[in-house]
Amino acid sequence: MFTIKHPWNAKEQEEVLLVGLFQEPKLSGVMADIDEQLLGHITELIKDGDLSNKLKSINKLNTLNQIGTKRIYFAGLGKREELTYDRVRNTFGRAVQEISKEKRTHFSILLDTFKSDQISMEKLAHAFSEAAGTSAYQFENYKKKSNEPQKRLEQVTVYTENSEVEAGLTSGYAYAKGINLARNLVNTPANLLTPTDLAAEAIDVALEYGMEYEILEKEDMEKLGMGGILAVSQGSDQPPKLITVKYQGRKTWDSVVALVGKGLTFDAGGYSIKPALNMHEMKSDMGGSAAVLGAMEAIGRLKPEINVMFVIPSSENLVNGSAMKPGDVITSLSGKTIEVRNTDAEGRLILGDAITYAKEQGAEFIVDVATLTGGVLVALGDCTTGALTNDENFYEHIKQSASDEAELLWLLPSFQPFKDMLKTSDVADLNNATGRLGHAITGGLFVGEFAEKTPWVHLDIAGTAYSSRASELGPKGATGVMVRTLTTFVRNFKA
């Protein structure tokens, strides 16, 4: 998708050129050269307020054949010293969206016009590459198509003097592919993405990058005693799947990191049925598995030297004559018994079995990702992912990765009174639903009961996996949240 060139000159025949414009007393470098070629019109337009250099402003200028480039898009960057990674990434996204509206298949960028002391050129290139891949994303919906051929961005020429740019473009493109894979999975209707389909998607990625995979069927789960996932799937005609993919980036299978993603391809709540309003959005209840598969795609492309296990328990949570009922007692793979107080608290049941299985397969560090609770939206809104952990030193790696990728993350408390609430069943070891108080916390800590002493971080993305608003980095719908954080964590983590 990207071609790197150097140097750029005013005679280059370009349909569209994207440049960065900082708020500075006068133009410098290549921007001053372009201004000179255009007889000072850029300076004049800025002075008159017709060309904005404010952050995220995008302005188009037709050069009227004064130089080889026909159209220049100016991306406002604000003050150079105030430019941050997320601000420049969002600006790139907005610029690509504006260029895409013209149905361009190719454009060029003077990447060095965006550089600042706070952001390395490799990171800047990563931001651009990722934004170019994600901002113009559109889900292939099921509306009747017109006969007009679709034009999409296919190629970008990057002009730069810096040798670090190629690595950044490569990594950013890998992240974008992972994010868009996650978005596609979450956006797909539940009748077209069953647990069987989700397993097939995982196998496709595994085969593409030479990873080992295993799919446990219902019969396998019965032999092993996976009471959690079996109980949740009882209400559906679709068979459950336990998907495991292993990426071996080291010579020996040790120091294994497990990424575990909740894969409820549809959640009606079971007998504790959800309200009809907005239930159609429950196709997104497999957002955790989508994040894990998106990270698997990016990791497969980038090939870090680390061992990773991707584990996805997948089922539907529906209602029929065989569905689990409030008051049922089930025995999990770990041997712990669970009283089902609420059938809509099902994600923690399937995650418990998946985490136990990951440990049995050699996982020494565990990160689970799940659209687990409505309580996390009440606590943290729709912009912040909630976290829980049993090991704050391990959590710091996730926290730093989220910070590096500008994904908002907040650690919730794990105080003993919350843990005690899980032990309030009169008939079983654990109670799967302790009520409204601290719901996001107790839900996550329930999952942590199965991690036990293995270093573990829980990420509740119920508020962040799906958005009702468009942004500079994509349309409304699935966001692909945590693909960035998980991928960066895996690339940087050293046990």
Side-chain angles (χ1 to χ4, degrees):
M1 182 178 183
F2 300 98
T3 302
I4 299 175
K5 287 187 178 181
H6 175 74
W8 178 85
N9 66 70
K11 294 180 181 179
E12 294 284 354
Q13 299 294 312
E14 306 282 2
E15 287 289 327
V16 175
L17 181 68
L18 176 62
V19 299
L21 193 61
F22 284 99
Q23 288 182 344
E24 293 178 327
K26 63 178 183 178
L27 300 173
S28 59
V30 69
M31 290 301 301
D33 294 340
I34 295 173
D35 190 36
E36 183 178 352
Q37 293 287 330
L38 296 178
L39 307 176
H41 287 318
I42 297 176
T43 297
E44 185 177 338
L45 289 169
I46 294 172
K47 190 179 296 183
D48 292 344
D50 295 320
L51 182 58
S52 176
N53 49 21
K54 291 181 180 178
L55 183 67
K56 292 195 290 188
S57 62
I58 308 296
N59 293 276
K60 181 175 73 171
L61 177 66
N62 193 308
T63 65
L64 302 178
N65 297 319
Q66 295 298 305
I67 58 175
T69 297
K70 290 185 177 181
R71 302 165 191 83
I72 301 177
Y73 278 78
F74 295 88
L77 299 172
K79 296 179 180 178
R80 193 182 294 266
E81 64 274 14
E82 294 179 359
L83 190 66
T84 61
Y85 174 71
D86 59 317
R87 287 176 176 176
V88 75
R89 184 175 64 187
N90 288 343
T91 302
F92 282 138
R94 186 165 183 186
V96 172
Q97 287 175 345
E98 290 298 317
I99 293 171
S100 296
K101 287 178 182 178
E102 293 191 354
K103 302 189 184 303
R104 299 289 172 188
T105 59
H106 172 266
F107 74 91
S108 299
I109 179 173
L110 301 185
L111 190 62
D112 295 357
T113 62
F114 290 81
K115 69 181 178 182
S116 69
D117 292 339
Q118 301 90 276
I119 308 167
S120 71
M121 283 302 295
E122 181 177 348
K123 191 71 172 172
L124 185 70
H126 178 109
F128 170 67
S129 179
E130 184 200 301
T134 59
S135 61
Y137 164 85
Q138 292 291 332
F139 180 64
E140 291 287 350
N141 61 43
Y142 308 99
K143 296 181 179 181
K144 186 177 179 180
K145 302 293 190 294
S146 70
N147 293 326
E148 182 181 346
Q150 290 189 338
K151 291 186 177 181
R152 291 188 174 177
L153 181 63
E154 297 174 359
Q155 188 67 33
V156 180
T157 301
V158 179
Y159 289 95
T160 180
E161 299 180 10
N162 195 286
S163 61
E164 299 175 2
V165 163
E166 185 173 3
L169 293 174
T170 300
S171 61
Y173 184 72
Y175 279 51
K177 294 294 283 186
I179 291 165
N180 288 343
L181 171 61
R183 287 170 165 175
N184 279 336
L185 292 171
V186 173
N187 285 330
T188 300
N191 64 320
L192 302 178
L193 187 73
T194 66
T196 300
D197 297 319
L198 190 62
E201 292 281 351
I203 291 171
D204 286 346
V205 178
L207 290 175
E208 184 173 356
Y209 300 109
M211 300 181 195
E212 178 186 340
Y213 69 87
E214 171 193 67
I215 309 297
L216 295 187
E217 305 291 346
K218 181 180 179 181
E219 296 76 16
D220 304 312
M221 298 176 199
E222 289 171 341
K223 291 176 184 176
L224 292 170
M226 291 185 168
I229 188 169
L230 287 168
V232 173
S233 65
Q234 284 172 194
S236 171
D237 293 337
Q238 294 291 335
K241 307 286 180 179
L242 194 285
I243 305 159
T244 304
V245 178
K246 294 179 180 178
Y247 166 82
Q248 187 165 346
R250 297 158 54 100
K251 291 183 179 179
T252 56
W253 186 250
D254 55 13
S255 301
V256 179
V257 173
L259 304 182
V260 182
K262 174 185 169 185
L264 257 293
T265 56
F266 192 80
D267 180 21
Y271 276 108
S272 306
I273 196 164
K274 294 179 180 292
L277 184 65
N278 296 328
M279 196 197 286
H280 63 282
E281 294 183 355
M282 285 300 100
K283 65 181 182 180
S284 69
D285 209 21
M286 37 63 66
S289 65
V292 167
L293 285 174
M296 187 164 83
E297 166 75 28
I299 289 163
R301 287 175 176 271
L302 297 173
K303 298 178 170 49
E305 295 180 2
I306 187 172
N307 295 327
V308 189
M309 187 188 311
F310 308 90
V311 184
I312 296 171
S314 184
S315 72
E316 295 179 330
N317 186 27
L318 303 179
V319 185
N320 63 17
S322 301
M324 67 175 175
K325 302 169 289 295
D328 284 359
V329 174
I330 61 178
T331 302
S332 66
L333 177 61
S334 70
K336 294 178 181 180
T337 57
I338 303 163
E339 181 184 4
V340 179
R341 294 279 185 88
N342 187 326
T343 64
D344 195 25
E346 84 299 321
R348 63 202 71 180
L349 302 180
I350 70 173
L351 287 170
D353 279 349
I355 285 174
T356 301
Y357 189 72
K359 289 162 57 180
E360 292 178 353
Q361 296 296 304
E364 298 174 44
F365 305 90
I366 298 171
V367 182
D368 82 81
V369 195
T371 49
L372 199 74
T373 67
V376 78
L377 283 97
V378 178
L380 300 176
D382 63 358
C383 61
T384 307
T385 294
L388 285 155
T389 189
N390 63 2
D391 187 319
E392 293 203 16
N393 289 330
F394 180 51
Y395 169 74
E396 284 299 316
H397 294 282
I398 302 293
K399 178 183 177 182
Q400 185 60 55
S401 298
S403 177
D404 290 346
E405 297 303 325
E407 292 195 306
L408 301 179
L409 183 65
W410 191 260
L411 183 64
L412 298 166
S414 301
F415 300 138
Q416 189 61 41
F418 293 117
K419 297 177 182 179
D420 293 342
M421 292 166 70
L422 302 174
K423 310 294 176 60
T424 53
S425 171
D426 295 328
V427 294
D429 298 321
L430 296 171
N431 167 8
N432 85 318
T434 61
R436 292 172 61 90
L437 297 180
H439 182 210
I441 297 171
T442 57
L445 290 177
F446 183 98
V447 178
E449 287 287 321
F450 300 88
E452 297 177 314
K453 294 184 179 179
T454 303
W456 158 80
V457 171
H458 163 71
L459 302 173
D460 191 338
I461 60 171
T464 52
Y466 201 85
S467 177
S468 60
R469 302 181 301 275
S471 75
E472 290 93 353
L473 297 177
K476 67 179 183 179
T479 63
V481 73
M482 289 292 120
V483 171
R484 301 177 182 91
T485 294
L486 293 177
T487 305
T488 296
F489 158 68
V490 166
R491 295 176 71 198
N492 294 339
F493 182 64
K494 290 179 174 56

